[in-house]
């Protein structure tokens, strides 16, 4: 698995990371969602550099121009509900991509123990396509890992890009071990060192789904 951590090189991405972590700015859900979208847009640009391209002739008012255009068939897959703003950011760049939606959540068996439950999948065929699977928080890696395996029955992608805003070192290591021989690239805006006793990323940013859409019962 190829691992890419974007904030190892300074860019305007740092502004968006600072704002989504800031507990004062987090009180504005519109701002929070928009910053997640922006990070998704920036990741889409980075992913676009890895796609396959072919020349295409375009008629301008004066002459013919040759432009290199991507030829891969793309699917943007999102783990509900926290991934929706990131999904919008990716679609604003890859505006002809198909969409895939997955419900994956922690089903607690005790205060600190849980398993990952998948209850809903809506997806086109993934066979031979480039899948971009996004979830803003990569804590343990279990949700993304289980989702990746579950989607295989809908076709084997040519390549899968897993995209997260903030990951933990444990989560990155978990996916790297699980997917080390798979055609997968991991893109993370920032990686934090710790998981607390509830398996939340520290310092992280809190619950991305709640900050984007309001607290759930």
């Amino acid at each position: 698995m190829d691992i890419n951590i974007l904030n190892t090189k300074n860019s305007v991405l740092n502004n968006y990371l600072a704002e989504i972590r800031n507990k004062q700015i987090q009180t504005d859900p519109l701002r929070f969602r928009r910053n997640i979208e922006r990070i998704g847009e920036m990741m889409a640009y980075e992913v676009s550099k890895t796609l396959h391209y072919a020349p295409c002739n375009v008629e301008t008012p004066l002459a013919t121009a040759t432009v290199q255009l991507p030829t891969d068939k793309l699917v943007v897959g999102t783990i509900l509900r926290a991934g929706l703003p990131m999904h919008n950011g990716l679609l604003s760049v890859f505006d002809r991509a198909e969409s895939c939606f997955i419900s994956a959540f922690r089903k607690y068996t005790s205060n600190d123990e849980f398993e990952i439950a998948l209850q809903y999948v809506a997806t086109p065929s993934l066979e031979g396509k480039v899948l971009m699977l996004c979830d803003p928080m990569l804590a343990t890696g279990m949700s993304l890992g289980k989702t990746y395996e579950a989607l295989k029955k809908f076709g084997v992608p040519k390549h899968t890009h897993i995209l997260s805003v903030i990951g933990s070192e444990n989560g990155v290591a978990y996916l790297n071990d699980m997917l080390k021989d798979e055609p997968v690239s991991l893109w993370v805006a920032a990686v934090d060192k710790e998981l607390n006793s509830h398996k939340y990323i520290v310092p992280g940013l809190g619950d991305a789904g709640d900050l984007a859409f309001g607290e759930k019962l």
Side-chain angles (χ1 to χ4, degrees), residues 1 9 15 33 39 42 44 52 77 79 85 87 92 120 123 132 154 175-176 178 182 186 188 197 203 206 216:
M1 185 177 75
K9 295 182 180 179
N15 288 348
R33 291 193 301 270
I39 293 170
M42 297 187 76
H52 291 89
I79 295 179
H87 188 102
S92 71
Y120 173 82
T123 182
M132 288 165 283
F154 300 100
L175 287 183
N176 190 41
M178 175 183 177
E182 298 285 321
L186 174 65
V188 189
S197 61
K216 54 189 175 294

Side-chain angles (χ1 to χ4, degrees), residues 46-94:
E46 295 298 327
V47 169
S48 75
K49 300 175 185 178
T50 72
L51 301 177
H52 291 89
Y53 288 76
C56 177
N57 291 329
V58 178
E59 294 295 329
T60 81
L62 301 177
T64 300
T66 301
V67 182
Q68 296 286 331
L69 296 180
T71 59
D72 293 301
K73 293 183 178 180
L74 308 177
V75 179
V76 178
T78 294
I79 295 179
L80 300 172
R81 63 183 168 149
L84 288 173
M86 202 170 180
H87 188 102
N88 290 338
L90 290 164
L91 276 187
S92 71
V93 176
F94 297 119

Side-chain angles (χ1 to χ4, degrees), residues 8 32 47 93 139 168 191 200 211:
T8 56
F32 184 84
V47 169
V93 176
S168 73
V191 176
Y200 290 125
L211 290 167

Side-chain angles (χ1 to χ4, degrees), residues 44-214:
Y45 174 72
E46 295 298 327
V47 169
S48 75
K49 300 175 185 178
T50 72
L51 301 177
H52 291 89
Y53 288 76
C56 177
N57 291 329
V58 178
E59 294 295 329
T60 81
L62 301 177
T64 300
T66 301
V67 182
Q68 296 286 331
L69 296 180
T71 59
D72 293 301
K73 293 183 178 180
L74 308 177
V75 179
V76 178
T78 294
I79 295 179
L80 300 172
R81 63 183 168 149
L84 288 173
M86 202 170 180
H87 188 102
N88 290 338
L90 290 164
L91 276 187
S92 71
V93 176
F94 297 119
D95 49 8
R96 291 177 175 81
E98 297 176 283
S99 290
C100 164
F101 299 97
I102 310 100
S103 172
F105 63 94
R106 296 180 177 188
K107 185 176 182 180
Y108 282 88
T109 56
S110 66
N111 286 339
D112 295 327
E113 300 296 323
F114 61 87
E115 59 186 25
I116 301 300
L118 299 180
Q119 287 193 337
Y120 173 82
V121 177
T123 182
S125 170
L126 303 175
E127 188 66 34
K129 300 176 182 177
V130 173
L131 172 64
M132 288 165 283
L133 181 59
C134 65
D135 188 357
M137 306 302 287
L138 169 55
T140 66
M142 294 169 58
S143 293
L144 283 163
K146 189 168 185 176
T147 298
Y148 177 84
E149 290 298 322
L151 289 176
K152 284 185 175 180
K153 67 181 180 181
F154 300 100
V156 179
K158 178 169 70 173
H159 196 88
T160 298
H161 297 274
I162 296 177
L163 304 102
S164 292
V165 176
I166 296 178
S168 73
E169 289 185 351
N170 285 352
V172 171
Y174 176 88
L175 287 183
N176 190 41
D177 183 62
M178 175 183 177
L179 304 175
K180 58 186 176 183
D181 297 322
E182 298 285 321
V184 174
S185 297
L186 174 65
W187 303 82
V188 189
V191 176
D192 292 347
K193 290 185 177 297
E194 297 181 43
L195 291 175
N196 65 15
S197 61
H198 298 289
K199 299 298 189 291
Y200 290 125
I201 302 170
V202 179
L205 54 78
D207 188 306
D210 287 359
L211 290 167
F213 301 112

